[in-house]
């Protein structure tokens, strides 16, 4: 039976006294559960693991590919062809009679195989979730500490945690000693979170943290310290299990055709458009086939090769021929090949695509929702500023590599690595750190990287210290005599180091009083440190009194850093000759020692850090804006921090109103329940920065954007991003820092974790879609021409111009290579400046249909003219079928094959010419004529196939019934008329298309402006009346007023660090 761990139970587990929690789960802190209790609960709750979604098998995926409308029509046509021939006594025993049906089946199977195999290689998000925990963990059972498999944990188990462990379940702490946990994968924020077993009463007006500080959660890493706790939730009852349910979806998988999963809800715009196009074509094909069948039977049209046969049977074969001509069997295969090649090209742009259709979907993205940490930013806290002795310094470089960047004077920009204030501040801060910096080699990529080991808040100090030359072994040079770790009540960390025999703190550091044996170092929240300081270090190394004026100046510097969302630590010291307490007295408490040591401190300086934005992100966001794409940042940060980062990367521009463009996610769920869809959509339509977001918030934001008809792309790297990645039209995960969960939920992965690669991928996606539109128009015009030619032949009474197998050969052998080459067309200049196409926009636009019918009509008219002349030449002036059968009762089929051969050659040449014409709907064919190298290869291949079809004995005369030798020079010369006429007339048609394209772009712009105006009006109508009426309920409160409240009243708080307004200054947890 699955465990029940709802929101109310989770609240009680986090807020009730530990005695009540232990009693609820029938356990105790000292002995834990008995083995018998644990076994019984394991049966009741089930194993501590996540549900695994049943992934479709390769066979199931293959069968699913056969359910497309076009594919079904092709299968029906193939079956009809084979059945009709099987019922014909003369053809039933001839294997060549079945070549048409077999050929269609081969095309269908190849297409399904390629698509199924590509999707089969995609990984599963829920499988990755299940790998987040380690194999075993220590627990207290029956009073003994034993190691048990993590999947055997049950509620009530007492778990022992240590540095390096992965938290195996959701746990309420009963003991915590300097315990810090990395919750980056759960909340998306980089700082280690300090945890405590002490339950604190919530103060009035205090902002709720993203996670309770008395609980640790499944899948998170223990970064520091140790602790014990009682398991309160396992498996799908944990927070990570809740995320798994969001990824999996609340509803049970829908089925179609009895057993196959229904994937219609997750179809991409391209797939939807192709399905709609296929449906239209299918209806038209059936209609044309019925009309021709009726006309043919009424006119008693019979087979030239079997004049005694039934007209009805012959017209069924003609209807199959029409079906083959009308149904664009090349489109599914061509799209699959084009997208597969696009996937390969994307790798060069550092993008790995897991789902074929995702290639073009990113090109249609109109909104990119991005996580902040690790996506827009480095995900690595970096020191960017320092202050000491009334002098400000800048710290250059990003990340953890100490060889990049230096410390410079903010005013003069001169190297300040040897400045007394810089060296004194960093040296004293290093003496109060436990973090180390090591160089390691990635076993997979062989890349050498610098990585910190320890507290992430101390990493910027260690990196900056190495930049100015401090040794990695500085801790061994200054023996530590005492350490008092950080606590949320102290708001600082304190160490005492041995400085015996030193005249200065360090090389070119602050002087130490004679006889100094110990040095107390405190680092922590500036306002707390400042209140304890009696003195401060001057720029020249002198010690000056901390006057009220100096303190005010110091706090103004803190406020300036805070306004830039920097996280500030103050560092203060106190040289001593002796400890202010008896070191041998074991009864002195830690708090007493702390109180005695923190007196009469001397402020040395401030250090300010931030998670910096990635290189190139700002430019990429600007490029996205130019492409008509709205970039939205969704983060767990508080509003002010989020706004600062958004401004740095140009998501928010200087002219933007922060009260409108940024909001706290509490606005999405006033009173705990999410806004109604209409109100939610109004809010998300105008907001570009969402702060303090939970995983469910990201999911609701993406859903809201999709309801507005937008194509949403979501980027992220953490477990918390997985539900939104799965819901988005296109999920983009980070390949380096991304969790396996995010990668599993995403449709594509950025191998370089660079937001900039997304814009490059958007451009490539648009180019691929444009190429798909071109070859769809090209193929459709071919099919229109084929249908018109056969229709005219039947109605007029001429012999049908070609057989079904000849049509298949034309479309799939001589026309398919150029079609694929069109799909590989390089993007036209300025393609990134175009507006994103609407989600509902069909793959073939109105002007494309006009172009297709014009080109099809031109091609039909030219080839029919060539065919008529050929019939007159080879059939002694006879053109109609009845006349030919009377004039040549024995060799009519042979005479007819000569005329068909001429028309066949002329059509292939004409189509090859049209391949160059189709590269643009409105530009002349000679513009960048040889710009697509693949087109040259495609035309060469098509020509080789043509000559094989008309010259190879047996294949040409027996199977295709063509003869390139028998037609002689006249026939080859006549065939040239086709491409000549096609080139002239199709180029003239572009004049019409040019004006239609211009009109469509104007119409699109007008529609977009009207939609924006309507949304703005709706937002005003929804907000202003309620504002003016002072709505009584919180749910009716205008969203527009909420962000301002958050900005004014909400401190920037990132678990370990609090930054508040001037009234409370800044507090920092280390």
């Amino acid at each position: 039976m699955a465990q029940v761990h709802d929101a109310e139970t989770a609240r009680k587990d986090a807020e009730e006294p530990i005695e009540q929690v232990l009693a609820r789960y029938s356990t105790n802190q000292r002995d834990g559960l008995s083995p018998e209790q644990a076994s019984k609960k394991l049966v009741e709750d089930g194993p501590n693991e996540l549900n695994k979604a049943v992934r479709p098998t390769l066979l199931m995926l293959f069968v699913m590919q056969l359910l497309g409308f076009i594919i079904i029509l092709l299968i029906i046509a193939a079956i009809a062809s084979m059945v009709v021939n099987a019922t014909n006594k003369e053809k039933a025993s001839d294997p060549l009679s079945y070549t048409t049906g077999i050929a269609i089946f081969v095309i269908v199977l190849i297409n399904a195989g390629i698509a199924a195999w590509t999707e089969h290689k995609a990984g599963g998000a829920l499988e990755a979730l299940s790998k987040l925990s380690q194999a075993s963990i220590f627990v207290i059972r029956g009073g003994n500490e034993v190691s048990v498999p993590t999947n055997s944990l049950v509620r009530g188990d007492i778990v022992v945690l240590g540095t390096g462990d992965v938290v195996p379940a959701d746990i309420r702490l009963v003991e915590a000693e300097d315990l810090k946990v990395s919750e980056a994968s759960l909340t998306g924020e980089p700082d280690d979170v300090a945890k405590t077993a002490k339950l604190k009463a919530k103060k009035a007006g205090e902002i709720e943290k993203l996670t309770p500080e008395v609980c640790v959660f499944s899948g998170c890493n223990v970064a520091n310290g140790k602790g014990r706790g009682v398991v309160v939730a396992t498996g799908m009852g944990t927070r990570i299990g809740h995320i798994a349910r969001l990824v999996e979806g609340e509803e049970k998988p829908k089925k179609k055709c009895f057993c196959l999963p229904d994937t219609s809800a997750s179809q991409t715009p391209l797939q939807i458009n192709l399905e709609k196009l296929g449906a239209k074509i299918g209806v038209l094909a059936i209609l044309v086939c019925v009309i021709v069948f009726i006309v043919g039977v009424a006119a008693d049209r019979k087979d030239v090769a079997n004049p005694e046969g039934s007209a009805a049977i012959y017209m069924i074969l003609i209807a199959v021929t029409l079906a083959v001509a009308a149904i664009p069997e090349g489109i599914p295969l061509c799209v699959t090949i084009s997208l597969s090649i696009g996937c390969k090209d994307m790798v060069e742009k550092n993008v790995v695509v897991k789902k074929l259709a995702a290639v073009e979907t990113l090109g249609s993205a109109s909104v990119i929702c991005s996580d902040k940490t690790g996506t827009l930013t480095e995900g690595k806290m970096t020191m960017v500023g320092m202050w000491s002795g009334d002098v400000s310094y800048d710290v250059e470089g990003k990340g953890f590599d100490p060889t990049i960047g230096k410390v410079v004077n903010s005013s003069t920009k001169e190297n300040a690595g040897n400045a007394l204030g810089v060296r004194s501040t960093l040296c004293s801060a290093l003496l109060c750190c436990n973090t180390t910096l090591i160089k390691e080699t990635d076993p997979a990529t062989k890349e050498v990287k610098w990585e910190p080991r320890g507290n992430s808040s101390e990493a910027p100090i260690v990196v900056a210290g190495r930049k100015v030359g401090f040794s990695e072994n500085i801790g061994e040079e200054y023996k530590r005599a005492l350490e008092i770790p950080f606590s949320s009540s102290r708001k600082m960390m304190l160490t005492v180091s041995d400085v015996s025999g030193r005249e200065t703190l360090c090389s070119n550091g602050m002087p130490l009083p004679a006889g100094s044996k110990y040095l107390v170092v405190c680092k922590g929240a500036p306002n707390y440190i400042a209140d304890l300081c009696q003195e401060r270090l001057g720029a020249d190394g002198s010690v000056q009194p901390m006057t009220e004026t100096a303190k005010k100046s110091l706090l103004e510097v803190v406020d300036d850093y805070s306004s830039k969302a920097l996280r500030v630590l103050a560092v203060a010291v106190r040289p001593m000759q002796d400890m202010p307490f008896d070191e041998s007295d074991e009864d002195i408490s830690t708090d007493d020692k702390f109180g005695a040591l923190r007196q009469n401190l001397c402020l040395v300086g401030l250090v300010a850090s931030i998670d910096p934005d990635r290189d190139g992100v700002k430019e990429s966001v600007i490029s996205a804006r130019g492409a008509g794409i709205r970039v939205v940042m969704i983060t767990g940060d508080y509003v002010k921090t989020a706004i600062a980062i958004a401004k740095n990367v140009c998501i928010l521009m200087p002219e933007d109103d922060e009260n409108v463009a940024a909001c706290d996610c509490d606005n999405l769920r006033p009173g705990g329940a999410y806004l109604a869809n209409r109100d939610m959509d109004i809010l998300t339509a105008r907001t570009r920065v969402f702060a303090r977001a939970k995983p469910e918030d990201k999911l609701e934001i993406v859903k809201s954007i999709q309801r507005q008809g937008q194509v949403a792309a979501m980027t992220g790297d953490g477990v918390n991003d997985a539900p939104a990645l799965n819901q988005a039209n296109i999920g983009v995960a980070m390949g380096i820092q991304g969790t396996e969960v995010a990668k599993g939920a995403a449709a594509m992965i950025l191998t370089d974790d660079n937001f900039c690669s997304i814009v490059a991928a958007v451009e490539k996606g648009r180019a691929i879609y444009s190429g798909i539109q071109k070859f769809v128009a090209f193929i459709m015009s071919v099919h229109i021409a084929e249908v018109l030619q056969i229709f005219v032949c039947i109605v007029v009474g001429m012999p049908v111009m070609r057989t079904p197998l000849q049509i298949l050969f034309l479309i799939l052998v001589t026309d398919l290579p150029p079609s694929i080459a069109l799909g590989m067309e390089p993007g036209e200049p300025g393609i990134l400046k175009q507006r994103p196409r609407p989600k509902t926009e069909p793959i073939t636009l109105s002007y494309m249909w006009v172009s297709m019918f014009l080109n099809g009509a031109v091609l039909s008219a030219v080839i029919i003219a060539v065919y008529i002349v050929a019939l007159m030449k080879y059939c002694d002036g006879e053109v109609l079928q009845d006349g030919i059968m009377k004039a040549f009762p024995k060799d009519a089929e042979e005479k007819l094959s000569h005329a068909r051969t001429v028309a066949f050659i002329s059509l292939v040449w004409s189509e090859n010419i049209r391949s160059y014409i189709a590269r643009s709907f409105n530009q002349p064919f000679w513009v960048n004529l040889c710009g697509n190298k693949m087109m040259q290869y495609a035309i060469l291949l098509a020509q080789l196939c043509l000559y094989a079809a008309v010259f190879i004995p047996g294949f040409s005369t027996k199977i295709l019934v063509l003869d390139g030798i028998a037609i002689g020079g006249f026939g080859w010369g006549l065939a040239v008329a086709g491409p000549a006429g096609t080139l002239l007339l199709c180029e003239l048609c572009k004049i019409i298309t040019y004006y239609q394209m211009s009109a469509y772009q104007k119409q699109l712009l007008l529609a977009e402006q009207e939609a924006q105006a309507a949304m703005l009006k709706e937002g005003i109508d929804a907000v202003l009346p309620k504002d003016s009426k002072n709505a009584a309920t919180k749910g009716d409160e205008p969203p527009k007023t909420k962000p301002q409240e958050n900005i004014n009243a909400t401190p920037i708080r990132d678990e370990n660090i609090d930054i508040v307004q001037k009234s409370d200054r800044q507090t920092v947890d280390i």
Side-chain angles (χ1 to χ4, degrees):
M1 182 181 68
Q3 61 174 278
V4 178
H5 195 254
D6 54 22
E8 179 61 21
T9 305
R11 184 194 64 78
K12 291 180 179 179
D13 289 338
E15 296 180 1
E16 289 182 351
I18 189 61
E19 293 78 15
Q20 294 183 27
V21 176
L22 292 170
R24 179 160 48 250
Y25 296 108
S26 305
T27 187
N28 67 80
Q29 179 178 346
R30 183 173 60 86
D31 297 330
L33 297 174
S34 68
E36 293 76 18
Q37 284 179 301
S39 299
K40 182 179 179 181
K41 287 194 173 188
L42 185 60
V43 173
E44 294 174 351
D45 291 351
N48 177 32
E49 55 189 21
L50 301 176
N51 295 340
K52 295 182 180 179
V54 179
R55 294 177 57 195
T57 63
L58 180 60
L59 177 61
M60 188 177 292
L61 289 172
F62 179 81
V63 175
M64 289 168 61
Q65 305 303 321
L66 302 178
L67 300 180
F69 197 84
I70 292 179
I71 298 297
I72 292 175
L73 288 177
L74 286 173
I75 293 174
I76 293 173
I79 293 173
S81 173
M82 299 178 78
V83 169
V84 169
N85 283 295
T87 57
N88 189 320
K89 295 180 180 180
E90 296 182 2
K91 295 183 178 181
S93 59
D94 184 5
L96 295 180
S97 301
Y98 304 101
T99 51
T100 299
I102 293 173
I104 296 175
F105 274 124
V106 169
I107 297 302
V108 167
L109 295 177
I110 290 175
N111 175 75
I114 293 175
W117 176 251
T118 302
E119 292 195 15
H120 180 68
K121 293 188 296 183
L126 297 182
E127 287 186 7
L129 275 164
S130 65
K131 298 177 182 177
L132 278 182
S133 59
Q134 58 199 33
S136 61
I137 194 73
F138 284 99
V139 300
I140 306 297
R141 283 188 179 170
N144 299 315
E145 185 173 315
V146 296
S147 176
V148 300
T150 55
N151 64 358
S152 68
L153 285 180
V154 295
R155 292 181 293 172
D157 266 327
I158 303 298
V159 175
V160 181
L161 297 172
T163 302
D165 284 340
V166 177
V167 180
D170 286 2
I171 295 172
R172 167 68 185 273
L173 294 171
V174 296
E175 295 179 8
E177 184 177 331
D178 197 21
L179 182 65
K180 292 189 177 182
V181 178
S182 172
E183 294 182 343
S185 64
L186 189 64
T187 64
E189 298 315 305
D191 292 322
D192 297 334
V193 182
K195 296 294 183 178
T196 179
K198 184 178 180 181
L199 190 63
K200 301 176 183 177
K202 186 176 179 180
K203 299 178 182 177
E206 183 180 359
I207 302 300
E208 181 183 0
K209 295 184 177 181
L210 290 177
T211 58
E213 60 182 353
V214 293
C215 295
V216 291
F217 298 96
S218 178
C220 298
N221 295 305
V222 178
N224 189 63
K226 57 186 179 180
R228 291 190 180 194
V230 56
V231 174
V232 296
T234 61
M236 295 300 289
T238 63
R239 282 207 178 190
I240 205 169
H242 176 60
I243 294 175
R245 284 196 297 272
L246 293 176
V247 174
E248 190 179 41
E250 295 181 1
E251 299 181 1
K252 294 182 178 180
K254 296 180 181 179
K255 302 287 184 180
K256 65 179 179 181
C257 293
F258 305 107
C259 61
L260 297 177
D262 183 1
T263 59
S264 58
S266 61
Q267 283 187 317
T268 67
L270 177 62
Q271 291 171 321
I272 294 171
N273 287 331
L274 284 175
E275 285 290 319
K276 290 181 179 178
L277 178 63
K280 291 179 180 178
I281 294 170
V283 172
L284 290 174
I286 294 172
L287 183 62
V288 171
C289 289
V290 170
I291 292 173
V292 170
F293 178 80
I294 294 172
V295 172
V297 171
D300 197 30
R301 306 296 186 203
K302 296 185 178 182
D303 189 358
V304 175
N306 184 24
E308 302 301 324
S310 168
I313 295 297
Y314 176 61
M315 288 313 301
I316 290 177
L317 285 173
I318 293 300
V320 171
T321 303
L322 268 175
V324 173
I327 300 170
E329 50 275 284
I331 287 181
L333 181 59
C334 215
V335 168
T336 300
I337 293 174
S338 179
L339 293 178
S340 298
I341 294 172
C343 290
K344 182 179 179 182
D345 292 342
M346 287 285 196
V347 174
E348 299 178 3
K349 299 184 181 295
N350 300 310
V351 177
V352 174
V353 179
K354 293 169 52 184
K355 298 178 182 177
L356 283 182
V359 176
E360 65 80 27
T361 311
L362 188 58
S364 68
S366 53
V367 180
I368 298 178
C369 300
S370 177
D371 182 40
K372 175 185 74 70
T373 305
T375 307
L376 296 171
T377 64
E378 293 280 352
K380 302 173 181 177
M381 290 300 296
T382 303
M383 188 183 298
V384 294
M386 291 179 59
W387 179 93
S388 180
D390 294 320
V391 180
S392 294
Y393 303 93
D394 295 331
V395 184
E396 299 175 344
K398 293 182 179 180
F400 300 135
D401 190 344
T403 64
I404 299 177
K406 58 183 182 292
V407 180
V408 299
N409 187 292
S410 299
S411 301
T412 65
K413 301 303 178 183
E414 296 179 351
N415 192 327
N418 202 41
L420 183 142
V422 170
R423 295 188 64 80
S424 299
T425 301
L426 289 178
C427 181
S428 53
L430 285 170
L431 296 180
C432 199
C433 286
N434 291 319
T435 300
T436 59
L437 188 66
I438 62 173
K439 184 189 290 187
E440 60 183 16
T441 302
D442 189 315
T445 63
K446 305 301 180 185
E447 180 184 1
V448 177
K449 298 187 297 183
W450 292 87
E451 294 291 342
R453 290 290 181 268
N455 193 320
S456 62
S457 299
E458 295 177 347
I461 296 172
V462 177
V463 174
R466 295 288 290 275
K467 286 181 179 181
V468 299
F470 285 112
S471 168
E472 60 183 283
N473 301 317
I474 190 170
E476 299 175 4
E477 300 173 12
Y478 298 78
K479 183 179 179 182
R480 184 171 295 180
L482 178 67
E483 174 184 340
I484 299 178
F486 164 85
S487 74
S488 55
S489 59
R490 301 186 192 106
K491 298 296 183 183
M492 66 187 71
M493 175 181 177
L494 182 149
T495 61
V496 180
S497 300
D498 189 340
V499 292
S500 301
R502 296 180 180 272
E503 297 181 357
T504 59
L505 175 59
C506 59
S507 173
N508 202 39
M510 65 177 292
L512 296 176
S516 296
K517 182 179 180 182
Y518 298 108
L519 181 73
V520 176
V521 180
C522 286
K523 70 172 171 52
N527 55 325
Y528 283 79
I529 297 288
D531 289 340
L532 299 174
C533 290
Q534 302 296 318
E535 299 173 325
R536 66 188 185 96
L537 181 67
D540 57 356
S542 61
V543 175
Q544 303 169 1
M546 177 67 81
T547 62
E548 285 301 318
T549 301
K551 185 176 180 180
K552 181 180 178 181
S553 176
L554 167 71
L555 295 179
E556 286 176 353
V557 174
V558 173
D559 287 333
D560 181 58
Y561 280 140
S562 299
S563 67
K564 301 173 185 176
L566 299 182
R567 303 171 183 181
V568 189
L569 294 175
V571 184
V573 299
R574 175 189 175 187
M576 302 183 302
Q577 293 184 352
D578 296 295
M579 291 285 192
F581 52 82
D582 185 356
E583 295 181 68
S584 61
D585 188 351
E586 298 180 357
D587 294 331
I588 299 179
S589 67
T590 299
D591 287 338
D592 289 338
K593 293 178 181 178
F594 177 72
L597 292 168
R598 67 177 186 174
Q599 304 298 320
N600 302 319
L601 297 177
C602 173
L603 181 74
V604 181
L606 304 172
V607 294
S609 304
I610 197 171
D611 182 9
D613 51 283
R614 285 180 173 274
D615 293 330
V617 166
K618 180 178 180 179
E619 292 75 14
S620 294
V621 171
I622 293 174
S623 296
R625 279 175 173 261
I629 300 172
R630 182 163 63 106
V631 180
V632 175
M633 184 174 79
I634 309 175
T635 176
D637 270 323
Y638 281 77
V639 176
K640 193 173 181 181
T641 305
I643 289 174
I645 296 295
K647 287 183 175 180
N648 287 346
V649 298
C650 290
I651 290 177
L652 291 181
M653 304 300 286
E655 62 271 17
D656 288 331
D657 185 351
E658 297 174 5
N659 300 333
V660 175
C663 79
D664 190 302
C665 281
D666 280 345
N667 292 332
L668 305 179
R669 36 184 164 74
Y674 282 105
L675 295 169
N677 287 351
R678 177 176 174 272
D679 295 332
M680 176 75 79
D681 295 346
I682 292 172
L683 181 59
T684 59
R686 66 174 184 238
T687 304
R688 293 203 297 277
V689 176
F690 293 93
R692 290 196 351 113
K694 297 179 179 179
E696 309 92 284
D697 298 333
K698 297 183 179 184
L699 186 60
E700 291 299 322
I701 291 167
V702 171
K703 287 181 179 178
S704 174
I705 290 171
Q706 291 173 326
R707 284 197 299 271
Q708 299 165 39
Q710 305 286 340
V711 177
M714 172 71 192
T715 72
D717 60 354
V719 174
N720 60 320
D721 298 319
L725 287 172
N726 188 62
Q727 172 66 34
N729 299 97
I730 176 72
V732 185
M734 303 297 111
I736 299 174
Q737 297 188 35
T739 61
E740 290 301 314
V741 181
K743 294 176 188 177
M748 60 175 55
I749 300 169
L750 303 183
T751 58
D752 61 351
D753 280 17
N754 198 335
F755 181 86
C756 308
S757 298
I758 299 175
V759 177
V762 167
E763 184 175 15
K764 182 63 179 177
R766 289 188 177 186
I768 290 172
Y769 188 82
S770 176
I772 290 175
Q773 285 182 312
K774 291 173 183 176
F775 76 62
V776 167
F778 175 77
I779 292 177
M780 286 299 299
S781 62
V782 171
H783 286 272
I784 290 170
E786 292 288 351
V787 170
L788 285 175
Q789 291 165 35
I790 295 174
F791 184 79
V792 169
C793 289
I794 292 296
V795 172
V796 174
M798 291 190 299
V800 176
M801 194 178 296
R802 57 189 62 91
T803 66
L805 194 57
Q806 288 175 356
I807 294 174
L808 271 180
F809 188 88
L810 278 168
I811 293 172
L812 298 176
V813 179
T814 60
D815 288 343
L816 186 60
S819 300
I820 295 173
L822 281 173
M824 300 173 67
E825 276 288 308
E828 295 181 16
I831 195 170
L832 204 56
K833 297 295 182 182
Q834 299 174 6
R835 306 296 297 176
R837 66 181 184 275
K839 184 178 180 180
T840 56
E841 180 183 271
I843 193 169
T844 48
L845 306 175
S846 57
Y847 67 83
M848 295 179 187
W849 280 107
V850 172
S851 176
M852 287 187 291
F853 277 105
L854 286 175
N855 278 266
V858 165
L859 193 60
S860 296
V862 171
I863 300 304
I864 288 173
V866 170
Y867 184 50
I868 291 173
V869 174
L871 286 172
M872 295 175 65
K873 166 67 178 176
Y874 299 109
C875 298
D876 296 340
E878 295 291 341
V879 175
L880 300 180
Q881 181 171 317
D882 290 343
I884 294 173
M885 293 174 66
K886 290 178 181 179
F888 307 97
K890 294 184 179 181
D891 57 351
E893 193 171 3
E894 180 182 351
K895 294 289 185 181
L896 187 58
S897 70
H898 298 162
R900 284 175 171 172
T901 301
V902 173
F904 186 92
I905 295 170
S906 185
L907 182 60
V908 172
W909 284 350
S910 298
E911 284 305 310
N912 288 171
I913 289 295
R914 283 192 63 249
S915 299
Y916 289 96
I917 297 172
R919 293 181 63 218
S920 176
F921 288 105
N922 59 348
Q923 294 293 322
F925 78 96
W926 60 78
V927 175
N928 195 23
L929 181 62
C930 299
N932 185 356
K933 292 182 179 180
M934 295 307 299
M935 183 63 75
Q936 327 311 327
Y937 297 126
I939 297 301
L940 176 61
L941 178 60
Q943 288 297 302
L944 291 175
C945 291
L946 167 64
Y947 302 128
V950 298
F951 284 127
I952 295 178
F955 176 67
S956 62
T957 56
K958 297 294 184 180
I959 298 177
L960 292 177
V961 195
L962 299 170
D963 194 339
I965 298 175
I967 63 174
F970 176 84
W972 287 95
L974 177 60
V976 174
T982 299
L983 177 62
L984 176 62
L985 296 175
C986 287
E987 281 294 296
L988 290 175
C989 290
K990 284 187 177 179
I991 298 175
I992 299 174
T993 309
Y994 174 82
Y995 287 106
Q996 288 186 320
M997 285 184 66
S998 300
Y1000 177 78
Q1001 292 296 327
K1002 292 178 181 178
Q1003 179 183 352
L1004 194 64
L1005 179 61
L1006 180 62
E1008 183 179 355
Q1009 291 173 342
E1010 290 176 350
Q1012 291 176 346
M1015 180 61 73
L1016 178 61
K1017 183 178 185 301
E1018 186 177 7
I1020 292 174
D1021 291 343
V1023 175
L1024 290 184
K1026 297 174 185 177
D1027 188 36
S1028 61
K1029 295 176 184 179
N1030 295 317
T1033 64
K1034 189 174 182 181
D1036 289 335
E1037 190 171 355
K1040 187 173 182 180
T1041 64
K1042 298 287 283 186
Q1044 181 63 47
E1045 296 171 11
N1046 282 312
I1047 291 174
N1048 288 341
T1050 304
I1052 299 178
R1053 182 175 178 82
D1054 283 35
E1055 295 298 341
N1056 291 344
I1057 299 168
D1058 298 345
I1059 303 176
V1060 297
Q1061 300 297 318
K1062 293 182 181 181
S1063 59
D1064 194 23
R1065 303 300 174 186
Q1066 175 168 337
T1067 63
V1068 184
D1069 294 357
I1070 307 303

